[in-house]
Amino acid sequence: MKRDTGRNRKITSRWRPATQAVRGGTWRSEQGETSEALFLTSGYSYDDAASVAARFAGEAEGMTYSRLQNPTVQMLEERIALLEGAEACRAQASGMAAMTAALLCQLSAGDHIVSARAAFGSCRWLVDSLCPRFGIETTVVDGRDNAAWQAAIRPNTKVFFFETPANPTMDIVDLAFVCGLARAHGITSVVDNAFATSALQRPLEFGADVVAYSATKMMDGQGRVLAGAVCGTQQFIDEKLLPFQRNTGPNCSPFNAWVVLKGLETLSLRINRQSENAMEVGRFLERRVPRMLHPFLPSHPQHDLAVRQMDASGPIFSFEVDGERAQAHALLDALEVIDISNNIGDARSLMCHPASTTHHGVGAEARAEMGVGEGMLRLNVGLEDPRDLIEDLDRALTAAGL
Ligand SMILES: *Cc1c(COP(=O)(O)O)cnc(C)c1O
């Protein structure tokens, strides 16, 4: 049926990403609506008792309860899976719901996880605080150091977990090496791809097993809703993730899924324009501050690797000002256009001081080890005219005495 074309993988898997982003996963009700319908329903009703019994027995297709399936959420899952090149995807309530589910659905007491030290603060909390409480052993390594991943492997290592580029130091993990190493040892690699998204970096093509997302960031892209996603093989999703998710319930709400569906239609346009803007702003800042951490500027120590595995660097980079927290805060306070905000992936330019916000909770010792200094600032470059952003930064740097 034509209304169902968007869910027909034989057709949609031949489409190019721009087409998949607009039409992938779309399923139309009998009204034939052009824009995806928003199914705000928790339950479903049935024509007769036998048909519900058949659905519960797995003998007939159909929805039974929105913790298990929802049409709007399924459209999002199919669209993300297509863009990622994954067999299957399940949407989650938030990025952290996605990370928690991706790890806990497959780990048990006595297992071992190796994780990169530069990471989103809550991802570090999962590894440093939550996993050990359940008897899961953890090792944190410098994600940039291929030999460190190798040296950390134990007979009970089950998972490698990392993000690249990493928040907020912009460390790059060598996807082909680390995912290949995992595979050679029967270890599942879980990659948090929130900064780049499938529009700029496709970890599965480098041998990753599971890709997990905060869809709150670039996928929504306009700072509206929390959402997340986990992508992997059909077997991983069916046998590991689904039993965990269906019984613990970190599901994405249909409304949030609908907002992210709309966001995906423009993901590639936004992330490529924001990447260009971030290059322009980055080139300006490099002349004004002592240290830049921008993967697509040649000054980044892992520039070559970043260019090899990413199509563009995305909207986010970090830099250091001369001085400590007081100088960094003074720069934030002097901004007129760029907002002070710890969010990222928004179409608005946002700046934050990680040491006193996103990475406050990990503690001074972990910050020092990760390289998150008191003079570090992280900038998400939005869709504004980059000349306005450069003028704002120029003026604020001068006002802050920098
Ligand atoms: C924001 C973020 C998360 C958490 O996502 P939420 O949607 O806020 O729960 C996880 N990892 C990375 C890299 C992030 O940037």
Side-chain angles (χ1 to χ4, degrees), residues 93-97 99 120 122-123 163 165 167 192 194-195 213-217 226-228 343-344 378:
S94 67
M96 286 323 300
M99 303 308 152
F120 189 69
S122 293
C123 293
E163 59 195 58
N167 188 3
D192 177 344
F195 269 39
Y213 275 106
S214 169
T216 314
K217 309 295 168 54
L226 290 176
N343 197 15
I344 50 173
R378 186 193 66 195

Side-chain angles (χ1 to χ4, degrees), residues 19 30 39 48 54 89 131 146 179 185 190 207 239 243 250 274 379 398:
T19 310
E30 66 276 14
F39 288 88
D48 50 63
C89 166
C131 285
N146 287 352
C179 297
H185 288 80
V190 177
E239 293 176 10
Q274 287 179 244
L379 177 58
T398 304

